[in-house]
Amino acid sequence: MTERLDMMIDDLAAELAPQPAVRERDGRRAALAAALVTIALVIGLLGLRPQLVNGVADALVLVTTALFALLALAAGLSAIRMAQPAVGAPRGGALWLFVAMLLFPAIALVEHLVGRPADAQAQIGLMCLLNGVGASLFTAAVIVRHLRRGAPVLPEAAGLCTGLAAGAVGAVAITLECGGSSFAHLAFFHVGIVAAWALIGRLVLARLVRW
Amino acid sequence: MRHSDQDLRTLMRAAQGGDRAAYRAALAALADWLGGYFARRIAPAQVDDLVQETLLSVHRKRSSYDPDRPFFPWVAAIARYRWIDALRARARRPETSLEAEPPVASPEEPVLARLSLDQLIGHLPAPQARAITLTKVEGRSVAETARLTGQSESAVKVNVHRGLRKLAALVESE
């Protein structure tokens, strides 16, 4: 070891202060709390989907909500895990789930092109998209805070997973609230929330978690 | 002395509690390990700088280590992150040549570095691989590389730049 390195190690050791480890479970709890608060706030402010209030369960809405919830879980767990560096850590499941969800808008687009346009309820769709993007912000902030306390060594992937998780939480909240239930509406405007956050995550959040 | 993963976990656990002697021992052991890790991945003249940068990263991000988990996968991920940064820094400076670097310390180091690099370069398209090999490994100038490969000078620069970016991505996806 060189003298310069030896001196540096002495300096680093001299300035050591006790610092508790960043725990994965703390990140998971914080992200879960953020997701629940987001959903409660959206439903509290905008109300529950009328069909759910009346106890009528639309299968498509339920399946879509469940897929968003699964995506939020998979991407959220991946993002939180990325706060702790590790070689060989598994990743990528959330991304495949998101790719599978992109089949929704792809199929809706094909239906539109072959002359069977479904009503995408565009007038409320834009509001769903904007509300959903806004509602995702809190979860994104909580996960980014956890990542910044840690040391993500794959910042692009961490940003993307954070965006997917936050967008999926926003999409769950909006799907439970909004009255639109056509396939095209859910495909374009609700999956669109996740797609928008995937972009934000990859392009913006990745920079925030780089160190 | 070579430390086991369990030794370093114990030292880091104590360090996170504020034990400076344990922390010093952990960093010293790490410095040795990092020296060997980078010797096979980067030009020998840059190893010391990269070891220092990585130790600083370990210091700054020591709370991201969970002592209930193995130590070396954690530190290897940080070392790789710093290595990728170094590769990217080189990608941003396509004109940089190895000619300017001081002579190597031992005959084995460049051979090992070259073996590791050759494996990665094998994944690149031929024009990028050739441009990187000639400019970055053999230390030839852009003009000389252009003459030897039949590429224009600007094509050589673009191939080196793109190739190094691709190398960084390859390393990241390992």
Side-chain angles (χ1 to χ4, degrees):
Chain A
M1 200 188 316
T2 63
E3 197 181 332
R4 196 167 57 132
L5 204 52
D6 212 30
M7 282 169 62
M8 192 184 107
I9 289 173
D10 284 340
D11 289 345
L12 295 180
E15 68 182 47
L16 179 76
Q19 202 174 55
V22 175
R23 302 278 180 179
E24 200 176 305
R25 64 170 179 267
D26 296 336
R28 284 199 301 257
R29 282 177 189 157
L32 179 66
L36 293 177
V37 165
T38 298
I39 293 168
L41 268 178
V42 168
I43 292 174
L45 290 173
L46 303 174
L48 195 61
R49 175 181 278 271
Q51 298 99 313
L52 291 176
V53 173
N54 298 330
V56 183
D58 183 315
L60 178 63
V61 169
L62 289 181
V63 167
T64 312
T65 309
L67 284 174
F68 284 138
L70 272 179
L71 179 59
L73 188 68
L77 289 177
S78 293
I80 295 294
R81 198 173 297 136
M82 285 183 199
Q84 271 143 339
V87 166
R91 56 179 186 273
L95 188 60
W96 283 109
L97 191 50
F98 172 58
V99 170
M101 292 208 74
L102 288 179
L103 286 174
F104 279 58
I107 291 168
L109 194 64
V110 169
E111 279 197 327
H112 183 78
L113 292 176
V114 298
R116 283 185 297 163
D119 181 10
Q121 297 159 296
Q123 65 281 8
I124 60 166
L126 198 62
M127 195 53 77
C128 286
L129 187 64
L130 292 176
N131 284 342
V133 168
S136 306
L137 202 59
F138 183 46
T139 310
V142 167
I143 299 178
V144 165
R145 182 176 173 273
H146 180 76
L147 285 169
R148 285 171 63 90
R149 288 179 63 219
V153 291
L154 298 170
E156 288 84 7
L160 179 63
C161 281
T162 304
L164 287 175
V169 167
V172 167
I174 293 301
T175 309
L176 289 174
E177 170 272 323
C178 137
S181 52
S182 77
F183 179 72
H185 174 81
L186 294 171
F188 289 131
F189 297 109
H190 291 219
V191 177
I193 297 168
V194 186
W197 268 98
L199 272 178
I200 294 170
R202 178 62 184 76
L203 300 176
V204 181
L205 303 185
R207 288 168 193 264
L208 297 180
V209 301
R210 189 173 280 287
W211 52 284
Chain B
M1 175 186 146
R2 189 170 286 271
H3 288 72
S4 69
D5 195 90
Q6 187 56 51
D7 294 341
L8 282 159
R9 281 166 78 167
T10 308
L11 289 173
M12 280 302 283
R13 189 189 293 273
Q16 282 176 339
D19 183 336
R20 290 179 179 164
Y23 191 47
R24 206 208 172 285
L27 290 179
L30 254 187
D32 287 342
W33 186 84
L34 289 169
Y37 179 88
F38 289 128
R40 286 185 291 279
R41 288 169 172 81
I42 201 154
Q46 297 174 334
V47 169
D48 256 9
D49 285 347
L50 206 45
V51 169
Q52 286 192 34
E53 280 172 32
T54 309
L55 284 178
L56 280 173
S57 297
V58 164
H59 178 68
R60 200 152 61 87
K61 292 293 185 179
R62 61 190 183 277
S63 64
S64 72
Y65 176 62
D66 179 349
D68 293 337
R69 295 183 175 188
F71 177 79
F72 281 110
W74 175 77
V75 80
I78 292 180
R80 192 175 65 175
Y81 184 65
R82 291 277 78 107
W83 178 38
I84 291 166
D85 261 4
L87 283 177
R88 285 205 170 116
R90 302 201 91 195
R92 285 192 290 271
R93 290 181 281 120
E95 293 297 323
T96 313
S97 153
L98 292 182
E99 282 171 331
E101 288 165 0
V104 297
S106 80
E108 309 89 59
E109 284 181 351
V111 175
L112 291 171
R114 179 68 191 262
L115 280 174
S116 177
L117 199 58
D118 279 350
Q119 260 186 336
L120 286 170
I121 285 178
H123 293 283
L124 297 179
Q128 290 176 7
R130 187 104 177 96
I132 287 178
T133 305
L134 289 171
T135 57
K136 300 297 177 194
V137 182
E138 295 179 12
R140 294 175 195 273
S141 68
V142 171
E144 202 179 352
T145 303
R147 191 167 45 75
L148 288 169
T149 58
Q151 302 173 13
S152 68
E153 287 193 22
S154 56
V156 169
K157 288 178 192 171
V158 168
N159 277 330
V160 168
H161 182 67
R162 287 185 180 161
L164 285 175
R165 275 179 54 184
K166 207 171 284 181
L167 279 182
L170 279 171
V171 168
E172 203 165 73
S173 65
E174 254 184 357

